[in-house]
Amino acid sequence: MIAGVAIALVLGLALLRGQNAPADAPVVFRIIVVSTADRAEQLRQQVSGGASFAALARAESIDPSADRGGLIGPVVPAELREELREALRALEPVAVSRVITLPTGFAIVQREQQTTGATVRGSEILALAAAGNVRATVSVDGFAEANTALGTLQKDEDWNQSPRMICELRQRAVGNVKTALARRLGPDIADTRGQFSPQDVMEAHLAYGQLLAYDGDMAATIAQFEQAYRIAQTDMPAAIPDVLQSLGVAHLHKAEMDNGLYHAPGDRCLLSVQLPGRRLERTADLDKAAGYFLKLLDSDPRDIEAKWLLNVAYMATGGYPSQVPERHRIPTDAFASSEHVGRFVDVAAAAGIDSFSSAGGVIVDDFDNDGRFDLFTSNFDSCGKMQLFHRTEQGTFVDRSTQAGLADQLGGLNLVQADYNNDGCRDVLVLRGGWELAQRKSLLRNNCNGTFTDVTAASGLAKPATSTQTAAWTDIDNDGWVDLFVGNEDGPAQLFRNRGDGTFEDIAAAAGVARTAFTKAVHAGDYDNDGFPDLYVSNLRSTNFLYHNNRNRTFTEVGVAAGVPGADRGFPAWFFDYDNDGWDDVFASSYFLSIDETARSYLGLPPNAQTMKLYRNLGNGTFRDVTKEANLAKVFMPMGSNFGDIDNDGFLDIFLGTGSPSYAALKPSVLLKNNAGTSFVDVTVSSGTGEMHKGHGVAFADLDNDGDEEIVFKVGGATPGDAHAFRLFENPGHGNDWLGVQLVGTKTNRAAIGARLIATVEDGTGARRSIYRTVNSGGTFGASPLQQHIGLGKNARRVDLEISWPVSGTRQRFANVTKNRVIEIHELSDRVVPLVRNPLPLRGRSGNAAR
């Protein structure tokens, strides 16, 4: 979600200051931005003592320029914020500045000796989206501009402790800047144009257009971009390609909005080469978008991003592939699925899930213990409401958000469930501040009566507020109470030990996990099978961490030594046993904001970016990178992602929701089928799950009780102008056997998080194999039920079940368990309790009964 930021907001454009900036000579410098003044001063002293500024920038800076050692320039000082400009003027080459306060944090800068040779413009501070030769996607969304506006607004000390206050301040901040830009760009500008350079005026039009795009006013956005284009044509020819790209994207987004794609997506939002009904009715803006992309390709036929978006535009008009000029056409076989798993159909509206919102998380679980899975969703929009959809006896979903006491729970990028107080009811943790300024979390205690109470402050989780979207519940010390590990973007990770009385204490420093990184995912698993959970941490701008549990409430970081460093730009990541050998493996995505790189994966071109990674556990404390042999050496820009078993063959499959804030990020979500633990095959097109818009919370769950897992998908972007309807892809069924297992801990935590299951299956030929599962909610952005769903394959003649409980250290063994039903097993009990699960049709028709 790192987006381009216009100079008009981030760097303090002279047009908004109402003053004429001096035309100084360009400078090249390096910058480090961190979250606290104390840390900035410590880094300044390290550099003064001889430490490498570039190395510290890569390791510590929260600015996207960290990828290049903080390098910025050449840039005219007049383009910079006053604080930066004044600091640089006082610096000799290689000297280091004092600590500078910026809207985004605390900075130090070092002036370079040379003023040429660098490729990073000053306007890209806080906006770099890729490293090396990776081409960043054009940003049209206003997300970063809105964040910068909020950052510069004067706020009370505890503003981020109230979701409603966060909402009010964001609305005020964006409104203030839009008003200022509209006033400065009004009719009187002709009388004062001599005060401003053409670049000043062009950048102001672009900034105003971005903020209009933030709210989805695409006609007004296009008008501002057209003004910028006219200036670029006459005075700033170097800016023409970016402005053309922005215009093309703005028209494309407008066409989708005008055709109602976001409210009623149906098949029209799916990647498809020749799908009936895909063609949009109103095509004028699509034609304009295609015209801009063709103009870009005429000047640079190697522009893969323009080529991709041109083909997407023709898909929307119904003109793909025949009407796409042959030299720019992406062949249809680039998207073909080599295997067919049946078509998954979106039934969200038919099932009563009336949800239209920005990005957010989703939990599927039984929140009222009535034996039916409910849906809990959040909304990244600071003013967006959470929703709790209760499943009725008739099978429909009904919004019970207000009755549940969620009216004041606004915002939230992700959610994860647990039973933190062992009362038998699922509680919810809301994570806020990811990609943004620090904001409070919310711990919502389930009152076991259909309502929730916010106990964040009383529990000790409210302060300090942090920027986060990721956390994992796990019992680190096997005391029977789930603890909480939180990965942050703006400071050290937090490890909250559950005291068992409703409160938590942060022991991260003492436990050895209080590292600072731009963390995007955390997951718990027992990779060495010693009965204690370990932690995997995926970081956007550094290597990933693997924390080995020392079984004494401390951890040792062994990521590189164990062979699981990740791709240096990580996002979703998790432990899972993809090959069913009894050892947790690691999936670690890469995340590059580049349509160019994703298109390369489809076109079979070599990537410039690091691909996602699959690490196979060797059972000796180390892993082997099997990415290439597993057919996963691809770049997909994944965000919300999870794993489940789409065909009940016993092997875990992967669903990747993709995207970035930019409206240009039109790329399909990806469904990867696991071929018996040897490799993965892309079945996106054949399955009908290739949603082209922004994929966030993902869960797998058997919602109709017919024995196979649906894909539950929270779709929506980072801005109000990119909100989207919810998706629920119904599984077509594959005829394989299955088993649902609800575990209840007594000494182990009540929800059995961390308990391990082995289902040994004998098929009709007498062949035996084992299938391994660990109780958790799945991936790291979206949460599946804690009740485990185990596919058994075809003709399971006999199923034996073994359960390992981490706290009691006991193993239960149950022979010849009845298949194709849901069962409940309590720790230390010798009974298997069958649970009645009646069919719950998702589309108002008769469903298949659980066999």
Side-chain angles (χ1 to χ4, degrees):
M1 285 189 181
I2 305 164
V5 183
I7 295 175
L9 287 175
V10 178
L11 304 181
L13 182 65
L15 184 63
L16 291 184
R17 295 195 304 267
Q19 62 189 43
N20 191 22
D24 295 341
V27 296
V28 177
F29 64 98
R30 295 182 186 271
I31 187 168
I32 296 174
V33 182
V34 292
S35 300
T36 67
D38 288 345
R39 186 55 184 157
E41 176 60 27
Q42 293 170 3
L43 294 173
R44 189 192 69 79
Q45 293 178 15
Q46 290 182 39
V47 175
S48 299
S52 165
F53 193 103
L56 289 175
R58 291 187 180 94
E60 299 272 354
S61 183
I62 61 175
D63 185 279
S65 63
D67 291 338
R68 301 181 65 118
L71 184 63
I72 301 293
V75 57
V76 175
E79 294 180 350
L80 299 172
R81 292 187 60 88
E82 183 177 358
E83 304 97 312
L84 290 173
R85 188 174 67 250
E86 295 304 319
L88 286 167
R89 282 178 178 165
L91 286 182
E92 296 294 328
V94 307
V96 182
S97 74
R98 58 177 174 77
V99 175
I100 308 163
T101 302
L102 296 176
T104 51
F106 299 88
I108 57 174
V109 295
Q110 181 183 57
R111 190 162 184 167
E112 291 285 284
Q113 289 183 314
Q114 62 180 19
T115 59
T116 59
T119 59
V120 185
R121 293 283 303 155
S123 60
E124 292 175 299
I125 294 177
L126 305 174
L128 293 184
N133 295 320
V134 177
R135 177 180 172 179
T137 293
V138 63
S139 175
V140 178
D141 52 79
F143 175 71
E145 284 79 3
N147 276 346
T148 303
L150 178 60
T152 57
L153 189 72
Q154 185 172 356
K155 300 178 284 292
D156 293 336
E157 181 178 358
D158 282 343
W159 70 275
N160 56 16
Q161 291 295 311
S162 165
R164 196 159 293 280
M165 178 60 69
I166 295 169
C167 162
E168 293 172 2
L169 290 174
R170 181 173 290 283
Q171 289 180 322
R172 186 189 312 166
V174 173
N176 287 350
V177 178
K178 286 170 67 175
T179 299
L181 282 165
R183 184 173 61 248
R184 291 295 183 182
L185 291 170
D188 295 337
I189 191 172
D191 300 329
T192 57
R193 188 174 294 277
Q195 299 180 29
F196 313 118
S197 71
Q199 181 171 345
D200 287 341
V201 181
M202 182 187 73
E203 291 282 3
H205 280 297
L206 291 173
Y208 190 22
Q210 290 280 7
L211 284 172
L212 291 164
Y214 177 81
D215 287 325
D217 188 350
M218 300 314 297
T221 295
I222 289 168
Q224 293 299 317
F225 286 179
E226 286 174 340
Q227 293 274 21
Y229 182 44
R230 283 191 278 271
I231 297 171
Q233 286 178 301
T234 58
D235 298 294
M236 301 288 296
I240 288 176
D242 283 345
V243 180
L244 280 175
Q245 197 89 314
S246 297
L247 274 165
V249 171
H251 277 288
L252 195 53
H253 193 66
K254 181 176 183 296
E256 292 188 318
M257 295 184 75
D258 290 349
N259 280 277
L261 259 67
Y262 294 89
H263 281 276
D267 287 339
R268 299 181 300 168
C269 288
L270 302 179
L271 172 67
S272 177
V273 295
Q274 291 177 324
L275 184 67
R278 178 70 170 89
R279 184 182 186 278
L280 303 185
E281 294 180 2
R282 303 171 66 178
T283 61
D285 282 287
L286 292 171
D287 294 337
K288 291 179 181 179
Y292 285 121
F293 299 138
L294 283 170
K295 187 175 292 188
L296 284 164
L297 288 164
D298 286 342
S299 61
D300 182 7
R302 300 169 299 176
D303 188 337
I304 294 178
E305 177 173 319
K307 178 177 180 177
W308 177 272
L309 292 173
L310 175 69
N311 281 264
V312 169
Y314 275 108
M315 287 180 186
T317 65
Y320 174 88
S322 60
Q323 295 177 21
V324 183
E326 186 175 357
R327 65 188 182 280
H328 303 314
R329 185 185 305 149
I330 297 175
T332 58
D333 59 9
F335 307 112
S337 299
S338 60
E339 293 188 21
H340 296 271
V341 294
R343 187 164 184 81
F344 289 67
V345 177
D346 178 16
V347 297
I353 304 173
D354 182 13
S355 178
F356 179 82
S357 76
S358 301
V362 63
I363 302 172
V364 180
D365 218 317
D366 183 357
F367 288 102
D368 51 7
N369 292 333
D370 64 357
R372 299 184 294 273
F373 289 140
D374 311 301
L375 300 183
F376 205 122
T377 74
S378 64
N379 190 337
F380 186 50
D381 185 338
S382 296
C383 300
K385 295 182 179 180
M386 293 182 184
Q387 291 180 284
L388 172 61
F389 290 98
H390 169 72
R391 195 75 186 277
T392 68
E393 293 182 2
Q394 292 71 38
T396 56
F397 287 92
V398 177
D399 190 338
R400 293 278 179 85
S401 310
T402 301
Q403 298 92 320
L406 302 176
D408 290 328
Q409 293 298 327
L410 308 178
L413 184 52
N414 199 9
L415 305 165
V416 62
Q417 82 275 33
D419 182 0
Y420 80 94
N421 56 359
N422 286 340
D423 65 353
C425 301
R426 303 287 196 250
D427 311 299
V428 174
L429 179 73
V430 185
L431 298 159
R432 298 187 180 89
W435 306 108
E436 300 185 286
L437 300 179
Q439 299 169 30
R440 64 163 280 180
K441 312 168 188 65
S442 286
L443 178 60
L444 307 179
R445 186 189 67 209
N446 189 333
N447 298 319
C448 300
N449 62 0
T451 68
F452 292 82
T453 298
D454 188 329
V455 295
T456 318
S459 70
L461 298 182
K463 294 183 178 181
T466 62
S467 296
T468 182
Q469 66 169 57
T470 184
W473 292 100
T474 188
D475 186 355
I476 64 162
D477 51 4
N478 283 344
D479 66 352
W481 301 90
V482 286
D483 310 298
L484 178 65
F485 181 67
V486 179
N488 293 314
E489 300 171 2
D490 60 342
Q494 297 164 296
L495 177 58
F496 293 100
R497 178 177 173 268
N498 191 334
R499 293 189 178 105
D501 60 359
T503 67
F504 296 80
E505 59 174 332
D506 187 355
I507 63 169
V513 297
R515 293 190 173 211
T516 296
F518 201 95
T519 297
K520 299 307 299 175
V522 297
H523 203 250
D526 184 4
Y527 79 92
D528 56 355
N529 289 347
D530 68 350
F532 282 76
D534 311 297
L535 302 168
Y536 191 73
V537 180
S538 178
N539 301 314
L540 185 63
R541 300 179 191 139
S542 65
T543 56
N544 295 345
F545 307 144
L546 174 60
Y547 289 116
H548 175 256
N549 192 327
N550 299 323
R551 303 199 281 186
N552 59 1
R553 295 181 185 161
T554 70
F555 293 79
T556 300
E557 203 288 303
V558 297
V560 172
V564 289
D568 290 330
R569 290 188 68 87
F571 202 159
W574 53 70
F575 290 103
F576 72 153
D577 188 355
Y578 82 95
D579 55 359
N580 280 327
D581 66 353
W583 298 90
D584 273 348
D585 311 297
V586 171
F587 171 80
S589 74
S590 64
Y591 187 66
F592 291 85
L593 303 186
S594 174
I595 290 177
D596 182 285
E597 291 299 320
T598 296
R600 286 174 177 272
S601 289
Y602 283 99
L603 293 168
L605 299 174
N608 296 308
Q610 285 266 24
T611 70
M612 55 188 173
K613 302 293 183 183
L614 180 65
Y615 299 111
R616 182 173 180 269
N617 193 332
L618 300 180
N620 60 2
T622 67
F623 295 75
R624 182 170 68 88
D625 186 339
V626 296
T627 308
K628 288 185 179 179
E629 62 196 73
N631 194 34
L632 292 180
K634 299 174 182 178
V635 181
F636 281 133
M637 201 189 288
M639 298 188 301
S641 304
N642 212 323
F643 57 85
D645 187 353
I646 61 170
D647 54 359
N648 281 340
D649 66 350
F651 291 93
L652 293 169
D653 312 298
I654 297 172
F655 187 75
L656 304 175
T658 68
S660 76
S662 177
Y663 301 160
L666 294 167
K667 52 212 319 181
S669 298
V670 181
L671 182 58
L672 301 168
K673 180 183 178 300
N674 186 337
N675 278 335
T678 60
S679 64
F680 290 80
V681 60
D682 188 337
V683 294
T684 303
V685 171
S686 68
S687 65
T689 57
E691 166 64 56
M692 294 291 287
H693 297 119
K694 315 305 167 52
H696 285 89
V698 175
F700 287 78
D702 180 8
L703 289 177
D704 50 6
N705 292 340
D706 66 351
D708 45 45
E709 292 186 299
E710 277 66 54
I711 299 175
V712 184
F713 194 19
K714 183 73 167 63
V715 184
T719 66
D722 208 12
H724 198 284
F726 198 91
R727 291 284 210 175
L728 171 55
F729 291 113
E730 184 179 19
N731 196 315
H734 299 85
N736 289 340
D737 294 316
W738 57 278
L739 184 67
V741 184
Q742 177 71 53
L743 296 182
V744 180
T746 51
K747 292 183 177 296
T748 299
N749 66 89
R750 182 76 174 268
I753 292 173
R756 309 188 78 176
L757 302 90
I758 307 173
T760 301
V761 183
E762 180 181 310
D763 65 19
T765 68
R768 292 173 61 86
R769 65 179 177 121
S770 294
I771 300 164
Y772 297 82
R773 296 289 185 269
T774 300
V775 177
N776 57 47
S777 57
T780 49
F781 203 148
S784 300
L786 295 175
Q787 175 181 300
Q788 294 301 291
H789 182 94
I790 305 174
L792 304 174
K794 290 190 181 300
N795 302 318
R797 187 170 65 184
R798 177 188 171 103
V799 182
D800 297 334
L801 189 63
E802 179 178 307
I803 303 159
S804 297
W805 296 91
V807 175
S808 64
T810 57
R811 290 194 177 190
Q812 295 166 302
R813 294 178 175 86
F814 301 94
N816 209 13
V817 175
T818 303
K819 65 182 182 181
N820 298 329
R821 70 190 312 172
V822 180
I823 61 175
E824 182 175 275
I825 297 173
H826 289 242
E827 186 176 12
L828 304 178
S829 171
D830 59 0
R831 295 181 59 230
V832 172
V833 180
L835 300 179
V836 176
R837 294 293 183 260
N838 295 319
L840 292 174
L842 290 167
R843 291 190 274 184
R845 56 170 173 75
S846 297
N848 295 323
R851 294 173 298 218

